[in-house]
């Protein structure tokens, strides 16, 4: 079945950079919107960056100008480049993907990754 496979993340000093990647496994018919959410301890989950099948991008206000999202439809992957990281970026990051399972499907189905820790120290 479909699964989101996440990679990247880790620990970095304030001002550094990290990358996150997420691949849609299995054989879906297509992938609609993909991206990343994050959740810090004691806080609600928030949208970080999304990219549609038409490559329209959306960014959370706190990451605009620092993060960049891109997708590779041939590999069914999405990559998030995180630059000028701040301690407040510390969170568990979750891959999000709206997947079209079959050509007969008129709507996609949402899948979530298991989450990857990103830690930024001051």
């Amino acid at each position: 079945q479909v699964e989101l496979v996440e990679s990247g993340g880790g620990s970095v000093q304030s001002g550094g950079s990290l990358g996150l990647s997420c691949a849609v496994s299995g054989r879906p018919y297509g992938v609609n919107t993909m991206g990343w959410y994050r959740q810090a301890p004691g806080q609600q989950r928030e949208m970080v960056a999304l990219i549609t099948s038409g490559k329209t991008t959306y960014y959370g206000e706190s990451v605009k100008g620092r993060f960049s999202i891109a997708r590779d439809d041939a590999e069914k992957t999405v990559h998030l480049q995180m630059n000028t990281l701040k301690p407040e970026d510390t969170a568990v990051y979750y891959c999000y993907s709206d997947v079209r399972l079959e050509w007969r499907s008129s709507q996609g189905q949402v899948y979530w990754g298991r989450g990857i820790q990103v830690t930024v120290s001051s």
Side-chain angles (χ1 to χ4, degrees):
Q1 251 278 356
V2 170
E3 183 181 21
L4 304 186
V5 182
E6 302 162 317
S7 61
S11 299
V12 69
Q13 296 285 335
S14 180
S17 299
L18 289 171
L20 295 173
S21 295
C22 179
V24 180
S25 69
R27 303 185 68 180
Y29 181 77
V31 180
N32 301 319
T33 299
M34 306 175 66
W36 295 88
Y37 287 70
R38 69 186 182 188
Q39 187 168 23
Q43 301 184 26
Q44 63 184 22
R45 187 171 297 188
E46 64 176 349
M47 188 271 285
V48 178
L50 296 172
I51 182 167
T52 70
S53 60
K55 296 190 177 181
T56 299
T57 59
Y58 303 89
Y59 294 95
E61 287 296 325
S62 63
V63 307
K64 285 183 177 179
R66 300 188 297 120
F67 291 10
S68 180
I69 191 168
R71 64 188 285 162
D72 183 338
D73 289 329
E75 300 294 329
K76 297 189 289 294
T77 60
V78 61
H79 179 76
L80 182 68
Q81 181 65 42
M82 304 181 291
N83 299 320
T84 320
L85 283 161
K86 305 175 181 179
E88 52 261 44
D89 294 318
T90 297
V92 176
Y93 285 67
Y94 297 90
C95 181
Y96 164 97
S97 184
D98 180 24
V99 178
R100 184 177 178 180
L101 298 178
E102 300 178 353
W103 70 268
R104 295 180 293 271
S105 300
S106 60
Q107 297 181 344
Q109 184 169 346
V110 172
Y111 288 83
W112 291 94
R114 299 182 186 275
I116 289 183
Q117 179 69 48
V118 170
T119 302
V120 184
S121 59
S122 59

